[in-house]
Amino acid sequence: DAGSKHKVSMVFRKLPGVSASGMGLRLSQKFVFLLFLSGLVTLCFGALFFLPDSVRLKRIFLSKTETPPVTVGSGSENDAREHLKRPKDQEHPLSRKPDLSLSRSRAESVSERATVVDHHGADTDTFSYAKFKRCLLKPPLGRDYGKPSDPNTNERREKVKEMMKFAWDNYKLYAWGKNELRPLTRNGHLGNMFGGLKGASIIDSLDTLYIMGLMDEYNDAKEWVQTSLDLNSNGEASLFEVNIRYVGGLLSAYYLTGEEVFKSKVLELGEKLLPAFNTPTGIPRGVINLGSGTSWSWGWASAGSSILAEFGTLHLEFVHLSELSANPIYTEKVMNIRKLLNKIEKPHGLYPNFLSPVSGNWVQHHVSIGGLGDSFYEYLIKSFLMSDKTDGDAKKMYYSALEAIEANLVQKSPGGLTYMAEWRGGILDHKMGHLACFSGGMIGIGADDGVPEKRQHYLDLAAEITHTCHESYTRSATKLGPEAFRFDGGGEATATRLSDRYYILRPEVIESYMYMWRLTHDPKYREWGWEAVEALEQHCRVEAGFSGIRDVYTTTASHDNMQQSFFLSETLKYLYLLFSDDDLLPLEDWVFNTEAHPLPIIRKSCLQDEATQDKTVAE
Ligand code: DMJ
């Protein structure tokens, strides 16, 4: 407008050597000005190369060409993709052994380096799938997809695969693209846990389908991710649930298959979760709007608090987001949570379930290894294991937490059953939730890194807890366990309240069987797993899928009409692994997130060695 034009001419009038009329610069001044301008543009453009990959600006200006995976050993991931298209009876893509030798010849290094330079230019920080594969100790799918040599075990494994196919086919038929299948009414369920994100059962199933060799089904799932997984939703999501199912599911699909689509989707989603950490302490709130980034606490959480098992169950996935994006921000966010928890005063060494994201203080003194607390402890030991045993803080925090748990919560019933009670400001509630049954497996996988004099003790404790959880199953009419069982009021390992009698296809007891099998090879764990298969078939299988039941103590089933996505991601995966050889997703290379999505152990020294080799060759 006229006013602003006048203001501009006033400004120029004040500059020495500049006439306001027609901005009459002298030729030499114009030249200097243009030189300065082009210098500035070059500088800005150059600076883009130094920004981390995840910065949006960089991606707009320097759109990266997708790097086809690099040839490793006898095969390549491009070949693998071809194999995915073959009929399902044919070879499973990762069955051909990758070259896992770390001492590659110089010639190999040179040829690989050439590929890296071609596609990534100078960006040596970019995640290399080929490098990651070389740093694994074993092939992810084993010598023969973990096929057991014993025919009886193999038959059981095939049965589990059939259950997965049945659950998947019905989901596909009646609920495709929705979050869960409602098997009685034969329709889909969206719910409000994922902020408008869809396809939870698809994301949760990707890795299970893949390891079972259900390749047609896996390809359908992958295609849905490519064409229909829309991350631009605008609803209120549980940060925890989106992280463990979507972030975890996409991460493990990427690590297993090398398909770029999973990586780009998970990085896009990861960015959307970051605003949840914008609180005075950096402790995220439980609910986040994925569109606007606003976050708040659950209405039911006392005094606007955040939940231990929610903000304490981000570590594994966020560290991997940093790995893949080469952006440290994700690790910084979870390390900040860790720092605060490490520093804060803990009653009797215990971690209460509610913490204020504003003051950083505990809000209530309720401690539980079941719901609200559970996976926080799991992620401590798994962070240590996933860091190739370098994360000393996680190790220290885990073993001191376990000591406090043993001193305050672990109890023995009159009938000789070991269980984990809950703690309310010093008063024990003699109840154990189904969720707490994951702790058998957790204590088992942590046994070996405890102080030498306690290792056997931890393994025994893990076995005792798993035994108690098995008892909670055998003491019911359906041979499935209730949501919570008690050790008071005359009962032992049984639910005394009507409201605790349901079973919603949860995995925790079977999860502990799987770990205990891997650790001890005691055949009873496979037998217990088989009992669960029979019970699921008898009481939860309906015409169009699997459903939870309302009362485990009666055989006249009342179904809840819900096939939970964790049934496909956890319950059936753990059963399948239980009846497989140990070389299917070997624990030397993989840790499972709390939704049973396998994430690889990060071998920093191996990855860095490789980086150094690449650099030397380039010089
Ligand atoms: C799953 O989503 C995860 O295992 C979580 O840690 C706890 N609850 C369910 C399964 O029961």
Side-chain angles (χ1 to χ4, degrees):
D1 65 307
S4 51
K5 268 189 205 143
H6 175 70
K7 273 185 214 143
V8 172
S9 83
M10 292 297 287
V11 170
F12 278 111
R13 221 170 270 160
K14 283 177 193 160
L15 294 174
V18 178
S19 84
S21 59
M23 281 181 59
L25 296 170
R26 275 187 230 123
L27 198 62
S28 61
Q29 284 171 328
K30 278 181 186 165
F31 178 71
V32 171
F33 183 65
L34 277 175
L35 206 67
F36 171 72
L37 209 66
S38 65
L40 197 70
V41 169
T42 318
L43 204 72
C44 292
F45 189 72
L48 283 173
F49 286 93
F50 293 94
L51 291 173
D53 276 0
S54 59
V55 174
R56 198 170 278 144
L57 203 64
K58 177 172 181 175
R59 281 194 262 114
I60 293 168
F61 285 100
L62 302 179
S63 70
K64 224 190 284 171
T65 44
E66 296 233 301
T67 312
V70 170
T71 300
V72 185
S74 57
S76 78
E77 296 309 312
N78 287 327
D79 295 345
R81 270 203 279 274
E82 278 313 303
H83 279 268
L84 295 179
K85 292 181 198 141
R86 292 180 186 182
K88 51 185 175 284
D89 289 352
Q90 293 197 16
E91 193 184 15
H92 197 284
L94 292 182
S95 67
R96 279 161 307 124
K97 267 188 248 162
D99 177 7
L100 295 174
S101 147
L102 299 179
S103 55
R104 295 165 309 133
S105 70
R106 192 175 163 79
E108 281 172 316
S109 299
V110 173
S111 76
E112 179 176 311
R113 170 65 195 163
T115 319
V116 172
V117 172
D118 278 354
H119 296 285
H120 294 295
D123 195 352
T124 49
D125 275 347
T126 306
F127 178 83
S128 157
Y129 189 73
K131 264 183 206 170
F132 143 72
K133 287 289 288 293
R134 278 202 306 277
C135 289
L136 292 176
L137 300 177
K138 295 180 171 177
L141 301 188
R143 276 178 309 275
D144 193 13
Y145 330 123
K147 185 176 177 187
S149 49
D150 162 38
N152 182 39
T153 309
N154 192 41
E155 218 173 279
R156 291 177 169 189
R157 191 172 92 130
E158 285 302 307
K159 176 67 208 169
V160 176
K161 183 169 167 179
E162 183 277 327
M163 291 164 81
M164 178 70 189
K165 186 161 163 41
F166 178 72
W168 174 263
D169 286 347
N170 280 291
Y171 166 76
K172 191 176 164 201
L173 191 59
Y174 299 115
W176 189 239
K178 297 283 184 341
N179 285 325
E180 296 94 2
L181 163 71
R182 287 190 173 278
L184 298 187
T185 44
R186 300 184 188 215
N187 58 346
H189 173 255
L190 273 178
N192 50 12
M193 243 171 17
F194 309 117
L197 295 180
K198 296 184 180 149
S201 289
I202 299 178
I203 307 295
D204 253 356
S205 294
L206 283 161
D207 50 14
T208 311
L209 295 169
Y210 191 78
I211 66 162
M212 289 182 175
L214 289 166
M215 301 317 284
D216 288 349
E217 292 76 4
Y218 161 77
N219 278 323
D220 288 343
K222 185 184 77 183
E223 197 185 310
W224 184 88
V225 173
Q226 270 160 346
T227 58
S228 311
L229 175 58
D230 180 9
L231 300 175
N232 292 315
S233 66
N234 205 21
E236 296 150 17
S238 154
L239 172 67
F240 164 79
E241 296 290 357
V242 168
N243 178 57
I244 66 170
R245 301 191 202 208
Y246 284 83
V247 177
L250 290 167
L251 281 173
S252 76
Y254 174 65
Y255 281 115
L256 285 173
T257 67
E259 294 281 0
E260 286 293 319
V261 61
F262 300 132
K263 179 173 147 192
S264 57
K265 287 286 183 190
V266 81
L267 294 183
E268 192 186 335
L269 180 56
E271 261 188 48
K272 288 178 186 292
L273 301 182
L274 286 173
F277 295 81
N278 297 336
T279 63
T281 56
I283 296 285
R285 296 195 167 93
V287 188
I288 177 170
N289 182 304
L290 295 174
S292 66
T294 4
S295 70
W296 57 95
S297 304
W298 293 108
W300 49 263
S302 47
S305 55
S306 297
I307 310 298
L308 181 70
E310 295 198 332
F311 62 78
T313 310
L314 303 165
H315 202 101
L316 305 181
E317 296 81 1
F318 273 54
V319 166
H320 271 294
L321 285 174
S322 276
E323 276 298 300
L324 291 188
S325 64
N327 185 348
I329 187 135
Y330 301 99
T331 302
E332 284 163 15
K333 298 290 179 197
V334 288
M335 278 303 182
N336 180 55
I337 300 177
R338 162 87 66 77
K339 220 162 83 197
L340 188 143
L341 288 174
N342 207 358
K343 214 172 58 193
I344 188 174
E345 178 92 19
K346 289 167 271 291
H348 299 267
L350 296 166
Y351 291 81
N353 292 336
F354 299 94
L355 186 90
S356 161
V358 175
S359 68
N361 293 323
W362 304 117
V363 172
Q364 248 189 31
H365 281 188
H366 172 215
V367 177
S368 141
I369 309 307
L372 305 178
D374 49 6
S375 40
F376 158 68
Y377 305 96
E378 175 185 352
Y379 271 36
L380 286 179
I381 184 63
K382 288 184 177 175
S383 295
F384 169 64
L385 297 173
M386 200 182 83
S387 71
D388 200 17
K389 306 196 178 179
T390 59
D391 185 348
D393 280 342
K395 181 181 184 185
K396 247 190 256 152
M397 286 169 77
Y398 170 74
Y399 288 103
S400 23
L402 185 55
E403 221 168 273
I405 289 167
E406 277 210 79
N408 295 284
L409 308 185
V410 174
Q411 303 286 305
K412 188 87 120 208
S413 73
L417 297 178
T418 304
Y419 63 97
M420 303 263 194
E422 299 196 0
W423 191 89
R424 294 173 196 277
I427 296 167
L428 285 185
D429 187 2
H430 295 271
K431 152 190 161 192
M432 188 165 171
H434 192 289
L435 289 166
C437 284
F438 85 98
S439 61
M442 175 186 76
I443 296 169
I445 53 170
D448 231 18
D449 294 293
V451 288
E453 62 275 19
K454 281 212 153 169
R455 288 179 190 166
Q456 189 55 48
H457 163 74
Y458 287 142
L459 205 55
D460 293 343
L461 178 61
E464 283 170 32
I465 289 184
T466 308
H467 169 70
T468 301
C469 291
H470 175 245
E471 284 301 302
S472 78
Y473 274 46
T474 56
R475 293 173 191 209
S476 80
T478 55
K479 307 299 168 208
L480 292 164
E483 179 66 5
F485 43 94
R486 305 195 64 93
F487 295 88
D488 52 11
E492 282 207 357
T494 49
T496 48
R497 296 177 190 169
L498 263 177
S499 57
D500 287 337
R501 293 174 162 211
Y502 63 90
Y503 172 70
I504 56 168
L505 306 173
R506 285 198 192 278
E508 292 77 15
V509 176
I510 292 163
E511 174 180 348
S512 285
Y513 297 164
M514 192 284 290
Y515 283 115
M516 293 311 292
W517 162 256
R518 287 255 174 128
L519 295 166
T520 65
H521 289 139
D522 185 331
K524 76 179 175 202
Y525 295 113
R526 279 186 164 166
E527 289 313 311
W528 293 355
W530 186 245
E531 288 168 13
V533 167
E534 289 184 319
L536 284 165
E537 282 287 287
Q538 206 181 331
H539 303 290
C540 300
R541 188 169 178 139
V542 292
E543 262 180 47
F546 286 89
S547 165
I549 55 175
R550 295 210 169 83
D551 187 349
V552 295
Y553 297 103
T554 167
T555 49
T556 7
S558 165
H559 294 107
D560 69 5
N561 195 21
M562 182 66 84
Q563 179 175 284
Q564 302 281 352
S565 79
F566 53 69
F567 180 65
L568 301 119
S569 109
E570 297 194 70
T571 313
L572 293 176
K573 187 188 285 129
Y574 285 132
L575 279 169
Y576 190 76
L577 292 173
L578 177 65
F579 298 120
S580 295
D581 275 358
D582 297 357
D583 65 357
L584 179 58
L585 298 174
L587 297 181
E588 291 94 323
D589 279 326
W590 301 89
V591 295
F592 292 87
N593 90 338
T594 196
E595 189 80 359
H597 295 305
L599 300 174
I601 287 174
I602 299 170
R603 301 214 155 82
K604 269 271 173 314
S605 55
C606 170
L607 293 166
Q608 277 159 7
D609 274 2
E610 297 281 326
T612 316
Q613 275 184 36
D614 286 344
K615 264 186 209 146
T616 321
V617 173
E619 275 157 13

